[in-house]
Amino acid sequence: MDFVIGLIAFIIMLSVIVILHELGHFLVAKHFGVYCKEFSIGMGPCLYQKQGKETAFSIRAIPFGGYVMMAGEEDGSQSEEDNWLKDIPENRRLNGIEKWKQVCIMIAGIVMNILLAWIIYMGVALAQGYVVEEAKPVVYVVEENSVAQKAGLEKDDHIIKVLSEDGNSIQPKTQYEILEFIQYHHDTLTLTVKRDGTTFKTTLTPSYDKDMEGYTLGYKAIAYAKKIPWYQSLWVGCQNTWDSATTIFKSLNMIIRGQGLENLSGPVGILNVTSKSVQYGLDMYFSLFAMISLNIGIFNALPIPALDGGRILILLIEKLIGRKVSTKIVENIILASFVLLMILFIYATYNDIARMF
C-alpha cells in the first residue's frame, strides 16, 4: 500500500513539474505569436484530445513528461513536407522570430520550475508557522556500534574540521555541510574535534545506510524550531530556494570533476525517496517536490543541446557569428546530446537498482 501511495505521489509530482515547465514555454510562445500545434500532458498514445481555437490539448497514455509542439522547432521532429507546417507563415515559427524572443521562450520553462519551488517552500513555511534552524556540527547522540562510537566521539563534541584522504576538507558551520561532504568523500576521514576546551583528532570511515540511501557517521545532531510571522514565509521561501540551488550547483560541480557519480539517481531512486517522504508527512513530501522542481529547472538550463540551455547556447552562437547554424548540424548535435543523456539516464537507473540490493 505504501508503494502504491508513493507511486501516485511520484506521478503527481513529476506531472505537475513537467506540465508547468511546458506551460511556461507555451504561454510565452503564444505571447510572441508562435503557432503551437499541440500541448500534451504525458507521452505516447493519445487518450483524449480537445481542439482549441488553434492548439490541440492532449492527454496521453504514459503519465510522465509532456511537450509543446511549436512550429519551427529545429530538433528533427518537423519537416517542410509536413502538411500542417506548410501554411504557417515565417513570423509565426519559432525559428522565424527574433532571437531574444526565442531565448525568452526557452527560459520560460526554467523560470516556471524555479517559481514553483519558491511557492512550495514558502507554502510549507507558512503552513508550519516555524522554521527549523540548521543543526550545528555538534554531536547530540552517538549510535550504538557506529563508526562514530568506535572513533571515540561523545555527546557535545564539536566537529570543527573534516579532512578526506584526497586532501579535500571543510570547516563546517552546520551538520548538513558534513553530511553533504561525506556523500562525495567517504574514504577514511580525519575529524578535528573540540571537547571541553581541548582539541583532538580522530579517524573514521563513513558507513552506507540503505534506508537513508547515503553515507553516515553514526551520530545525530539536533536542530531547533523557531516560530515566524506569516509574512516571513516569503523570505524563507527565497532562502530555501537559494540554499537548494547552491546544493545542486555544488553537486553538479562534483560530478563534472568526476566525483560522486555513484550518487546519481534516476526515476527509480526518485520514486523510492518520494515513497519515504510521503511516509514522513506532507511537509517532507512538498519539500522534496520543491527540490525536484528546482533540479529539473537547473538541469534544463545546462548548455546541453537537447535541453533548453543548449538551445539558448546555439542561439547565442548564431548571434555572435552573425548567421544561422545549419539546421542539419543542429539536429545532429541535439541527437548526439540526447544519446549521451540517455546513457546518463541508464547509468543513474543502474545506480538506483544497485543500491536496492
Side-chain angles (χ1 to χ4, degrees):
M1 188 62 180
D2 287 341
F3 174 78
V4 174
I5 293 172
L7 179 61
I8 293 170
F10 173 71
I11 291 172
I12 291 172
M13 179 175 70
L14 280 191
S15 297
V16 170
I17 290 170
V18 173
I19 289 168
L20 287 178
H21 180 93
E22 296 301 329
L23 184 63
H25 292 318
F26 176 72
L27 292 176
V28 179
K30 294 292 284 184
H31 174 73
F32 289 132
V34 174
Y35 181 89
C36 298
K37 185 177 187 292
E38 182 183 358
F39 183 98
S40 174
I41 297 174
M43 308 292 283
C46 185
L47 299 178
Y48 172 80
Q49 188 173 82
K50 181 175 177 59
Q51 182 63 50
K53 182 180 178 182
E54 185 172 86
T55 305
F57 296 90
S58 309
I59 297 176
R60 296 184 176 271
I62 303 173
F64 300 109
Y67 60 85
V68 180
M69 187 182 292
M70 294 179 276
E73 288 188 274
E74 296 177 337
D75 58 1
S77 63
Q78 298 174 18
S79 168
E80 285 299 327
E81 296 177 2
D82 293 338
N83 290 328
W84 71 271
L85 193 60
K86 291 179 180 178
D87 298 329
I88 309 301
E90 189 71 19
N91 66 348
R92 296 212 61 200
R93 300 186 183 198
L94 180 63
N95 58 3
I97 62 175
E98 292 96 323
K99 290 194 181 341
W100 70 268
K101 292 182 179 179
Q102 294 182 51
V103 170
C104 288
I105 292 170
M106 293 300 107
I107 288 176
I110 298 167
V111 171
M112 288 292 274
N113 285 138
I114 296 172
L115 184 62
L116 174 62
W118 173 71
I119 289 172
I120 293 174
Y121 278 134
M122 180 184 65
V124 169
L126 185 62
Q128 289 177 331
Y130 65 87
V131 292
V132 177
E133 296 181 333
E134 290 195 71
K136 302 296 182 186
V138 177
V139 177
Y140 183 70
V141 174
V142 179
E143 297 172 1
E144 287 293 325
N145 301 317
S146 66
V147 293
Q149 187 181 60
K150 293 172 184 175
L153 292 181
E154 298 178 0
K155 187 178 185 302
D156 296 328
D157 282 350
H158 184 186
I159 314 298
I160 58 177
K161 186 177 180 180
V162 184
L163 174 67
S164 66
E165 280 186 340
D166 58 11
N168 285 282
S169 66
I170 56 166
Q171 294 179 328
K173 294 180 181 178
T174 67
Q175 178 62 19
Y176 179 79
E177 290 180 55
I178 295 178
L179 290 175
E180 183 182 27
F181 184 80
I182 67 175
Q183 303 314 309
Y184 300 102
H185 308 282
H186 35 259
D187 49 12
T188 300
L189 303 175
T190 300
L191 306 184
T192 303
V193 184
K194 190 173 183 179
R195 178 190 296 168
D196 297 328
T198 61
T199 301
F200 66 94
K201 293 182 179 180
T202 185
T203 60
L204 50 71
T205 302
S207 59
Y208 187 79
D209 188 312
K210 284 190 175 182
D211 291 332
M212 289 176 54
E213 295 192 347
Y215 289 87
T216 178
L217 297 181
Y219 73 84
K220 292 184 174 68
I222 190 168
Y224 296 93
K226 182 178 74 174
K227 287 187 177 181
I228 58 170
W230 68 267
Y231 55 82
Q232 199 172 333
S233 61
L234 298 169
W235 168 247
V236 172
C238 293
Q239 192 172 34
N240 287 345
T241 303
W242 175 261
D243 290 343
S244 296
T246 301
T247 299
I248 293 167
F249 280 117
K250 281 181 182 177
S251 299
L252 284 172
N253 180 49
M254 298 296 288
I255 290 169
I256 290 169
R257 291 162 56 188
Q259 297 177 325
L261 288 172
E262 70 279 7
N263 295 325
L264 280 175
S265 281
V268 176
I270 298 172
L271 170 59
N272 193 23
V273 173
T274 303
S275 296
K276 290 178 181 177
S277 72
V278 172
Q279 293 172 30
Y280 288 129
L282 287 177
D283 290 350
M284 186 69 73
Y285 171 65
F286 280 113
S287 294
L288 176 67
F289 204 134
M291 175 61 89
I292 299 298
S293 180
L294 199 57
N295 261 283
I296 290 176
I298 290 174
F299 185 73
N300 265 283
L302 296 177
I304 300 172
L307 304 175
D308 296 333
R311 307 289 184 89
I312 293 170
L313 178 63
I314 291 170
L315 290 170
L316 293 176
I317 291 172
E318 289 179 344
K319 185 69 176 176
L320 287 172
I321 65 177
R323 60 183 175 83
K324 224 175 148 47
V325 177
S326 165
T327 301
K328 195 65 179 175
I329 291 175
V330 172
E331 289 176 1
N332 288 335
I333 292 174
I334 290 174
L335 179 61
S337 64
F338 180 77
V339 171
L340 290 175
L341 286 174
M342 287 306 299
I343 292 172
L344 186 65
F345 173 85
I346 293 168
Y347 176 74
T349 303
Y350 168 79
N351 279 348
D352 292 339
I353 295 171
R355 280 193 288 264
M356 295 170 67
F357 299 99

